[in-house]
Amino acid sequence: MDFLQPATWEEALEAKAAHRDAVPIAGGTDVMVGINFGRLRPSLLLDLTRVPELQQWADDDGAVRLGAGVPYARVISELGDRLPGLAMAARTIGSPQIRNRGTVGGNLATASPAGDAHPALLAADAEVEVASTRGTRRIPVTEFYRGVKRSALADDELIAAVRIVPPRGPQQYSKIGTRNAMVIAVAAFGLALHPDRRAVGTGIGSAAPTPRRAPAAEEYLAGELDGLWDSRAELPAATATRFGELVAEASAPIDDVRGTARYRVHALSVMARRALTWAWADYRKGDPTCA
């Protein structure tokens, strides 16, 4: 196994263009597991840990541009108030050691349906910025996932950053596993309320071949909230229940060692109902960001 360690973003893109079979590695929390268990045997590793641009985040035209190499621990400590849904997801990931190494960029590159960041990114309408020696493009996260552990990345492209507009309303994230921590999700759900555009965002994880949204649930809830955004009146229990049912109907889970399809469907309905109840309660409190 050969090993390349570029020091600049330009060097990294040139290396990827010259060695399209190279496997990028940053935190290594997915790649090294695959190597150690014999499931992954790349001929070449492309180490991106010395590329400074990937370790930074910045405000960018109303959005947060989160470098692909920023670890989850920094998302929590530095961006918890700006990107609350993603920070909630980050807090559920692994152990402190994993959160110090793992990155959102790595989660996207692996494109596992069980990736913890995906539901929050979907609910927030994130964009994935990818680059090659041919140029840079932005991919809506809804179009990024192409299959089980397959993405829209071309073989000469690397993930540069994720762009997320800070929310104008509450966000929530729920995850259920076989234990309370250090666990791969049995199912996960992300929710974002967007009162500024009278819209709702959702994200489903670990309950379909790819992370996905629940469009029917979003449309239903946006309609039900149409008369409530301004009044901030109490949310009818039946609305939350029906929303949970529609989220569950959007899933396409399987039976595996972590849980049955039937359990995942039930868990999603409960998580979605609770996430909406919590988010609407936050909205009714009149948080200054919810305007």
Side-chain angles (χ1 to χ4, degrees):
M1 188 184 300
D2 293 322
F3 186 80
L4 293 177
Q5 195 172 58
T8 68
W9 184 232
E10 290 73 20
E11 288 180 3
L13 296 179
E14 290 170 1
K16 186 59 173 165
H19 306 279
R20 299 194 177 201
D21 60 339
V23 173
I25 183 170
T29 57
D30 282 329
V31 172
M32 291 309 301
V33 171
I35 291 174
N36 289 340
F37 279 89
R39 295 192 293 263
L40 181 65
R41 278 291 179 265
S43 59
L44 179 64
L45 282 177
L46 181 60
D47 179 16
L48 301 175
T49 57
R50 294 192 179 183
V51 178
E53 296 93 329
L54 298 180
Q55 317 297 325
Q56 302 166 4
W57 67 267
D59 292 315
D60 180 25
D61 193 24
V64 172
R65 184 182 182 277
L66 180 67
V70 176
Y72 292 114
R74 287 182 56 201
V75 172
I76 297 167
S77 64
E78 299 174 23
L79 290 167
D81 58 336
R82 305 281 302 280
L83 305 176
L86 185 59
M88 289 178 189
R91 292 187 187 99
T92 74
I93 294 172
S95 62
Q97 294 91 335
I98 295 297
R99 293 191 290 274
N100 282 333
R101 295 291 302 173
T103 65
V104 176
N107 224 200
L108 285 164
T110 302
S112 167
D116 293 306
H118 306 316
L121 297 176
L122 285 164
D125 295 318
E127 289 184 319
V128 185
E129 181 184 321
V130 303
S132 70
T133 55
R134 297 177 287 110
T136 301
R137 62 187 179 118
R138 293 178 184 174
I139 306 171
V141 72
T142 51
E143 301 173 13
F144 186 78
Y145 312 108
R146 295 292 178 83
V148 178
K149 296 190 176 182
R150 292 191 297 110
S151 74
L153 275 176
D155 61 4
D156 65 337
E157 288 181 320
L158 296 171
I159 297 173
V162 182
R163 296 184 78 260
I164 310 170
V165 176
R168 299 296 300 274
Q171 297 184 340
Q172 283 291 334
Y173 179 88
S174 294
K175 168 182 169 180
I176 191 166
T178 54
R179 58 184 182 181
N180 200 37
M182 299 278 290
V183 68
I184 299 173
V186 173
F189 178 72
L191 174 68
L193 300 182
H194 304 292
D196 53 319
R197 47 193 173 93
R198 302 298 200 256
V200 176
T202 60
I204 294 172
S206 204
T210 65
R212 60 172 58 176
R213 294 179 72 156
E218 295 175 2
E219 184 177 350
Y220 164 78
L221 184 57
E224 293 296 306
L225 296 180
D226 190 51
L228 301 180
W229 290 113
D230 294 330
S231 68
R232 302 190 188 227
E234 186 174 352
L235 185 74
T239 298
T241 299
R242 181 56 182 155
F243 175 70
E245 292 170 352
L246 290 171
V247 167
E249 289 174 10
S251 66
I254 60 171
D255 297 333
D256 64 14
V257 294
R258 297 195 305 278
T260 65
R262 181 179 178 184
Y263 178 73
R264 287 182 161 98
V265 168
H266 172 71
L268 276 172
S269 70
V270 174
M271 288 191 294
R273 172 173 54 81
R274 290 177 177 174
L276 173 57
T277 301
W278 297 330
W280 190 253
D282 288 341
Y283 181 69
R284 294 187 70 203
K285 292 175 184 176
D287 189 309
T289 63
C290 303

